[in-house]
């Protein structure tokens, strides 16, 4: 029996659908017309989402992949469309998520002739991609895309497929079988019993042990909590792992670094043993003691010892290893003094934060804004944070629990990631509550794609914290003792701008206006933009606290406490000593 024929681009989209991809972000262009035609033909299985800039499409795909753990797709046409993809693709690369990028190319007959918009595109993607190929015949198009998706999953990265436009129009036999149902990952070794025993002995001998976990524990939240309770060990995590353990768990201190909390920094600096699970935290060298005992659990053998010397390295899945530790351990009879001090430190921190939640100063502080977000957030909400001070604020003030998720451009740290990631996560989860939380600097890089939210009736809640400054960089310049240079930005009424684009816009300057805006936004079925005019005040620098007048200069302590409203915050030393 002779197989029916189908255009090569249609065959390619069917392969993508077999892998579970049911939508793709992008902007049309002449070099991509054959695939645009296929998107029209295959709209029953592949939804096209039109963005207003290819960078937004790539960032949307990256944000979606971060939230789902599954591959997401984007495209750009030859030349400028392809170039515009790069920023979002690098975000996916740095945060190790699978993204498929389809790139247009001029027809094969005019390639290598300096044709309109012709580029040698492969070298441009060589660094960002784990797989980077140009299709050479129509017949191989479904095969190349199938292989691209395999490699994106295998290496948790970006796969780029460049498609000369004429090849997509050519009919080929419709008989390609995708390998999606055959692809398998996750067959990891069991932890060695000797390593488990050695780990438990080191923990028993330690005076101030901690658990530090990363995104590799995404499926092991219950085991983390159980081990913490069983062995009297406080927990902390990378910023991106916020939500794996509930923020209100007394023994969870969130994160260390600059995007961090005071309890997290205090815990990291005090630890004499770190049980490091499913993470590749890059800033540990600045907080962990060099001579602290270090036990690392990871599925990737190249990560063992990558960030710190390792006393015990366990090559295993986090959930499996934690279960083995639970099975081989005995519960401690009494909570340690260090454990109790850590919990008391967190309680003091929470009380300090809560003291500002009804503050009515103008311009507003950020704590009242996050109180409104927390009260409105649903149990399955996804928070997409932009980069800068808003990252610090989100990590500190969002009250998350398992079931909710947070995305962030964590390692690449590109501004303008929140609005696109919200589009991506809403496309993947149309029935979940989706937030973007941005500073005015990041928001204005991508605000045109509020139109995309309007076009596709995405009920995303976009919160803009406007302080007329690149505040994160302003703080860095302060730390270097240099004058402010290039950090002041022109403000605007972003609520009015959103209304002009068809969204429901609010501009907020007072606490009463803030509460009214959130009340009006609740339950709406259209995109919302709430522009909150906040004070240009640096978030408390928990990585360089000056609050202990027993060990630091009293005059400097007084000045620091006054500047950052840190009255009531106690040094960790006081809890350890008591």
């Amino acid at each position: 029996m002779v197989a029916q024929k189908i255009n090569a681009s249609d065959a390619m989209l069917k392969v993508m659908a077999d892998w579970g991809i049911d939508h793709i972000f992008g902007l049309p262009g002449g070099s991509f017309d054959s695939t645009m035609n296929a998107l029209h033909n295959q709209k029953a299985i592949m939804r096209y989402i039109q963005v207003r800039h290819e960078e937004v499409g790539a960032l949307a795909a990256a944000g979606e992949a971060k939230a789902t753990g599954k591959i997401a797709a984007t495209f750009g046409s030859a030349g400028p469309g392809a170039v515009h993809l790069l920023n979002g693709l690098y975000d996916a690369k740095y945060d190790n998520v699978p993204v498929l990028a389809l790139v247009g190319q001029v027809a094969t007959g005019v390639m290598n002739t300096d044709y309109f918009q012709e580029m040698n595109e492969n070298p441009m993607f060589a660094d960002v991609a784990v797989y980077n190929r140009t299709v050479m015949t129509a017949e191989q198009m479904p095969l190349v895309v199938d292989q691209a998706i395999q490699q994106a999953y295998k290496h948790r990265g970006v796969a780029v497929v460049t498609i000369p436009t004429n090849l997509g129009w050519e009919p080929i036999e419709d008989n390609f079988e995708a390998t999606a149902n055959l692809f398998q990952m996750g067959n990891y070794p069991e932890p060695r019993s000797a390593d488990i025993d050695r780990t438990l002995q080191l923990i028993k001998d330690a005076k101030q042990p901690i658990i530090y976990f990363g995104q590799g524990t995404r499926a092991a939240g219950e085991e983390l909590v159980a081990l913490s309770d069983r062995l009297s060990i406080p927990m902390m995590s990378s910023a991106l792992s916020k939500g794996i353990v509930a923020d209100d768990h007394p023994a969870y201190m969130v994160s260390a670094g600059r995007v961090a909390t005071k309890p997290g920094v205090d815990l990291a600096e005090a630890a004499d043993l770190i049980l490091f699970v499913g993470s590749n935290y890059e800033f540990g060298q600045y907080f962990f003691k060099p001579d602290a005992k270090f036990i690392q659990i990871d599925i990737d053998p190249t990560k063992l010892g990558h960030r710190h010397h390792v006393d015990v390295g366990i090559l295993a899945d986090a959930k499996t290893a934690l279960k083995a530790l639970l099975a081989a351990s005995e519960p401690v009879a009494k909570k340690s003094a260090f454990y109790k001090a850590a919990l008391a430190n967190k309680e003091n921190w929470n009380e300090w934060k809560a003291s500002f939640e009804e503050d009515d100063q103008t311009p507003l502080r950020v704590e009242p804004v996050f109180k409104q977000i927390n009260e409105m957030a649903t149990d399955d909400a996804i928070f997409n944070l932009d980069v800068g001070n808003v990252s610090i604020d989100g990590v500190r003030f969002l009250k998350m629990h398992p079931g909710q998720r947070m995305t962030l451009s964590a390692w690449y740290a590109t501004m303008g990631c929140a609005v696109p990631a919200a589009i991506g996560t809403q496309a993947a989860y149309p029935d979940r509550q989706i937030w973007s939380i941005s500073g005015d600097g990041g928001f204005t890089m991508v605000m045109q794609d509020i139109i995309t939210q309007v076009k596709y009736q995405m009920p995303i809640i976009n919160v803009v914290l406007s302080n007329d400054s690149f505040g994160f960089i302003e703080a860095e310049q302060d730390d270097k003792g240099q004058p402010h240079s290039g950090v002041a930005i022109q403000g605007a009424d972003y609520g009015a701008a959103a209304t002009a684009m068809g969204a429901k816009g609010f501009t907020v300057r007072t606490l009463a206006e803030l509460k009214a805006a959130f009340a009006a936004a609740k339950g709406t079925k259209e995109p919302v933009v709430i522009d909150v005019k906040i004070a240009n005040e640096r978030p408390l620098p928990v990585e360089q606290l000056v609050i202990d007048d027993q060990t630091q200069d009293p005059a400097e302590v007084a000045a620091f406490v006054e500047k950052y409203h840190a009255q009531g915050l106690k040094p960790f030393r006081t809890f350890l000593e008591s």
Side-chain angles (χ1 to χ4, degrees):
M1 181 176 178
V2 178
Q4 290 184 333
K5 293 206 169 185
I6 187 174
N7 283 357
S9 283
D10 291 75
M12 172 184 69
L13 294 185
K14 291 178 68 175
V15 170
M16 292 166 60
D18 286 343
W19 279 93
I21 301 172
D22 62 7
H23 59 270
I24 186 168
F25 308 96
L27 265 173
S31 60
F32 208 73
D33 278 348
S34 56
T35 302
M36 295 308 300
N37 182 72
L39 284 168
H40 175 79
N41 294 340
Q42 303 298 328
K43 56 180 176 272
I45 62 170
M46 188 67 60
R47 183 186 184 203
Y48 164 53
I49 299 177
Q50 177 199 75
V51 292
R52 305 306 282 268
H53 195 292
E54 291 89 352
E55 177 188 14
V56 170
L59 286 168
E64 176 185 343
K66 292 175 192 181
T68 66
K70 299 177 182 178
I71 195 165
T74 187
F75 70 81
S77 57
V83 173
H84 284 167
L85 290 173
L86 272 173
N87 196 51
L89 298 185
Y90 268 103
D91 184 44
K93 169 189 168 77
Y94 274 69
D95 279 351
N96 301 117
V97 293
V99 166
L100 172 66
L102 305 180
V103 177
Q105 180 58 285
V106 300
T108 54
V110 294
M111 289 175 67
N112 304 319
T113 67
D114 295 327
Y115 195 71
F116 175 70
Q117 290 191 327
E118 181 198 355
M119 288 178 61
N120 184 9
E121 292 169 334
N122 288 85
M124 181 172 65
F125 295 106
D127 180 64
V128 76
V130 298
Y131 182 90
N132 180 26
R133 298 289 189 274
T134 296
V135 175
M136 302 305 293
T137 68
E139 287 76 14
Q140 70 178 210
M141 191 179 297
L143 171 65
V144 172
V145 168
D146 190 60
Q147 291 177 342
I149 297 171
Q150 287 180 354
Q151 295 301 310
Y153 270 124
K154 179 180 179 181
H155 298 289
R156 293 184 300 170
V158 174
V160 177
V161 177
T162 301
I163 305 166
T165 185
N166 61 303
L167 299 184
W169 291 108
E170 293 185 17
I172 62 173
E173 291 187 353
D174 185 17
N175 59 4
F176 183 81
E177 295 183 7
T179 61
N181 64 327
L182 304 174
F183 188 76
Q184 301 177 51
M185 290 185 68
N187 297 317
Y188 307 116
E190 292 289 320
R192 296 178 299 197
S193 58
D195 291 335
I196 296 297
D197 293 342
R198 174 67 174 149
T199 294
L200 291 173
Q201 185 59 52
L202 287 173
I203 291 173
K204 184 177 180 180
D205 294 341
K207 301 297 183 185
Q208 298 182 168
I210 69 169
I211 296 171
Y212 187 101
F213 62 89
Q215 291 206 89
T217 64
R218 185 65 63 184
E222 292 181 3
E223 288 77 12
L224 286 166
V225 170
L227 191 66
S228 169
D229 291 344
R230 188 175 184 84
L231 300 182
S232 183
I233 309 177
M235 299 172 285
M236 61 180 299
S237 73
S238 64
L240 269 180
S241 304
K242 181 181 168 74
I244 293 176
V245 172
D247 281 334
D248 63 4
H249 190 288
Y252 175 50
M253 310 297 153
V254 194
S255 59
R258 188 173 171 189
V259 181
T261 67
K262 176 184 179 292
V265 172
D266 289 339
L267 200 69
E269 291 179 339
D272 64 1
L273 179 143
I274 300 105
L275 178 59
F276 195 72
V277 190
S279 179
N280 192 30
Y281 177 57
E282 63 276 15
F283 297 122
Q285 60 182 309
Y286 302 112
F287 297 96
F288 300 142
K289 295 176 180 177
D291 59 349
K293 297 296 183 183
F294 203 85
I295 303 152
Q296 186 171 1
I297 300 171
D298 208 289
I299 60 173
D300 184 349
T302 68
K303 295 293 191 296
L304 298 177
H306 183 54
R307 300 293 188 187
H308 196 282
H309 86 268
V310 168
D311 295 279
V312 181
I314 300 176
L315 183 64
D317 170 68
K319 190 179 187 75
T320 303
L322 292 170
K323 282 185 173 181
L325 289 168
L326 284 165
S329 61
E330 295 293 333
V332 298
K334 182 181 178 182
K335 298 298 184 186
S336 69
F338 177 67
Y339 182 86
K340 292 178 181 178
L343 269 60
N345 190 34
K346 180 179 179 178
E347 185 176 352
N348 174 243
W349 169 252
N350 285 341
E351 290 171 353
W352 179 78
K353 291 189 299 177
S355 70
F356 301 106
E357 288 183 344
E358 291 292 328
D359 195 308
D360 62 356
Q361 74 167 50
T362 55
L364 288 165
R365 290 180 63 93
V366 296
E367 291 90 343
V369 184
F370 281 91
K371 181 184 180 184
Q372 295 300 312
I373 294 171
N374 288 324
E375 290 178 350
M376 187 170 162
T378 58
D379 288 341
D380 65 351
I382 300 177
F383 305 101
N384 301 280
L385 299 184
D386 218 298
V387 167
N389 283 347
V390 66
S391 303
I392 301 174
D393 296 332
V395 165
R396 290 181 186 174
F397 302 125
L398 286 174
K399 297 178 180 178
M400 292 180 62
H401 57 76
Q404 297 176 327
R405 288 294 297 268
M406 182 183 79
T407 76
L408 174 68
S409 181
W411 189 218
Y412 185 55
T414 179
M415 293 175 64
C417 62
V419 168
I423 292 170
T425 51
Q426 189 75 85
Y429 296 114
D431 297 324
R432 291 178 69 167
Q433 185 191 63
I434 306 297
W435 297 76
S436 82
I437 309 175
S438 309
D440 45 355
F443 181 73
T444 51
M445 289 182 171
V446 292
M447 62 183 286
Q448 77 283 338
D449 271 85
I450 295 298
I451 298 175
T452 300
Q453 298 180 12
V454 171
K455 177 171 183 172
Y456 296 102
Q457 298 179 309
M458 295 179 167
I460 296 167
I461 308 158
N462 304 275
V463 179
V464 186
L465 303 177
S466 299
N467 64 342
D468 296 343
S469 173
F470 294 123
F472 197 89
I473 306 305
E474 181 179 316
E476 289 182 346
Q477 293 182 357
D478 287 340
D479 288 345
K480 294 183 176 82
Q482 67 184 86
H484 292 166
S485 178
V487 293
I489 59 178
Q490 179 64 44
D493 187 336
Y494 304 117
T499 299
M501 287 187 279
K504 192 168 186 177
F506 302 88
T507 300
V508 168
R509 292 180 173 83
T510 68
L511 184 61
E513 290 175 352
L514 176 72
K515 293 180 177 180
F518 273 83
K522 190 172 184 178
T524 59
K525 302 300 181 184
E526 58 190 319
V528 172
V529 175
I530 304 175
D531 176 18
V532 186
K533 304 305 183 183
I534 63 167
N536 185 27
E537 296 177 351
R538 179 178 181 173
L540 178 75
V542 295
E543 75 282 7
Q544 46 183 319
L545 285 177
V546 187
I547 61 170
D548 191 345
D549 59 12
Q550 298 298 308
T551 63
Q552 296 168 310
D553 180 85
E556 292 182 1
V557 170
F560 184 95
V561 168
E562 180 69 22
K563 179 177 180 179
Y564 293 107
H565 311 284
Q567 297 86 352
L569 274 182
K570 298 178 181 179
F572 191 33
R573 174 190 57 79
T574 63
F575 299 107
L576 291 170
E577 291 175 354
S578 64

